[in-house]
Amino acid sequence: MKFLFVCVTIIAAAYAATGGDECYKDSVRACKSTLKDKKDKKDPSLPSCSAKYGAIQEVLPDLQQYVNSHITRNFEYMLMATHYGNYEKSRAGFEKLFMDLSDSKWEATIDLIKYITKRGGEMKFDNIKADTVNDENASYELYELNSLAKALDMEKELAERAHHIHGEATRRRESLHDPEVSSYIENEFVHKHAATIRKLSGYTSDLTSLLNGPDSSLALYIFDDYLKKQSIV
């Protein structure tokens, strides 16, 4: 009797939560097969009773690649920060800039993984986009202007990937529509990317002008000191 009550409770809760009958059917099958599965030592599953709905299954590979891109950029920015933090370079402003970018990518990684699991998915760390790391430009010990240009390219690439996911979730293909995914990407990433790209492009333009002045060494020192007081994120 107790077992029957548990089954009925599960069925009622599942049906109420989904508003459909797929999870309900799975729960009925699970309850019918429980005694047999116990004898066979099988664990009855409820495949339709996950948190997945909408187009999350279709955009999940893109989200996983987006996470892995953030992890890669986190370490790349960390390498760039370390380069400017050594005793030879001693550019505290550039070190802070790239460490802030590195930290922001790590925080975004954690948030994205939480979101994927919230929507019923799982994270696959081996799902990496082929061009995430360009071996031809894999040097991170760069001059100041070059490092800003590289960071700007990296941020634009992440922004384009966010736009791609947003587009997929807003019916770029007729079968896909998930306003919750598009809202999340837009609010948590699209606007932030725009702000970061604007700052980096401004830094790049300003430093270019300063280096073309009469005393580029002094200008670079003052610009580095200026970066120490700025926040990129």
Side-chain angles (χ1 to χ4, degrees):
M1 180 62 70
K2 185 176 181 180
F3 172 75
L4 180 60
F5 175 78
V6 171
C7 280
V8 171
T9 303
I10 292 174
I11 291 170
Y15 191 80
T18 61
D21 61 356
E22 293 304 316
C23 180
Y24 169 76
K25 289 176 182 177
D26 282 348
S27 65
V28 170
R29 283 193 292 268
C31 287
K32 285 182 178 179
S33 61
T34 299
L35 293 176
K36 182 178 181 300
D37 288 339
K38 281 184 177 179
K39 293 178 182 178
D40 298 338
K41 295 184 178 180
K42 292 181 180 178
D43 182 23
S45 61
L46 303 173
S48 298
C49 295
S50 72
K52 291 181 180 177
Y53 67 96
I56 188 64
Q57 187 62 35
E58 285 73 17
V59 299
L60 186 57
D62 289 327
L63 286 170
Q64 292 166 345
Q65 289 183 352
Y66 194 48
V67 172
N68 287 321
S69 293
H70 275 79
I71 294 174
T72 301
R73 300 299 175 241
N74 161 253
F75 285 106
E76 288 176 329
Y77 281 133
M78 194 179 299
L79 288 171
M80 294 165 76
T82 302
H83 171 61
Y84 288 108
N86 64 35
Y87 73 95
E88 291 181 338
K89 277 289 185 181
S90 189
R91 297 288 187 200
F94 281 89
E95 179 188 13
K96 178 182 181 298
L97 170 68
F98 293 122
M99 189 54 70
D100 285 348
L101 285 169
S102 176
D103 290 342
S104 71
K105 298 300 169 280
W106 188 252
E107 291 170 3
T109 296
I110 295 172
D111 192 67
L112 278 162
I113 293 174
K114 286 181 178 179
Y115 179 75
I116 287 173
T117 56
K118 169 188 169 184
R119 291 298 305 273
E122 62 179 15
M123 182 58 206
K124 292 185 178 179
F125 293 99
D126 58 349
N127 185 5
I128 301 173
K129 202 168 185 293
D131 60 350
T132 298
V133 179
N134 187 342
D135 291 334
E136 294 181 0
N137 298 316
S139 174
Y140 303 101
E141 295 183 0
L142 304 169
Y143 290 112
E144 289 80 358
L145 182 59
N146 299 135
S147 67
L148 288 176
K150 187 177 184 69
L152 182 57
D153 287 339
M154 289 159 63
E155 289 300 314
K156 285 183 177 180
E157 184 260 346
L158 284 174
E160 291 292 346
R161 293 194 184 185
H163 289 179
H164 172 75
I165 297 171
H166 187 277
E168 290 295 295
T170 50
R171 283 187 173 166
R172 177 172 293 170
R173 286 180 287 171
E174 190 60 32
S175 59
L176 301 185
H177 182 55
D178 198 317
E180 208 277 332
V181 171
S182 59
S183 174
Y184 170 72
I185 292 295
E186 185 173 338
N187 292 324
E188 298 298 327
F189 294 95
V190 173
H191 302 310
K192 292 178 182 178
H193 282 316
T196 301
I197 288 170
R198 176 63 189 90
K199 287 182 180 180
L200 285 173
S201 65
Y203 292 162
T204 305
S205 177
D206 291 343
L207 185 57
T208 300
S209 299
L210 290 170
L211 292 178
N212 288 327
D215 193 339
S216 58
S217 296
L218 177 60
L220 186 56
Y221 173 81
I222 294 173
F223 186 78
D224 179 70
D225 188 63
Y226 166 77
L227 287 180
K228 288 191 290 187
K229 305 177 181 67
Q230 304 305 307
S231 176
I232 191 67
V233 293

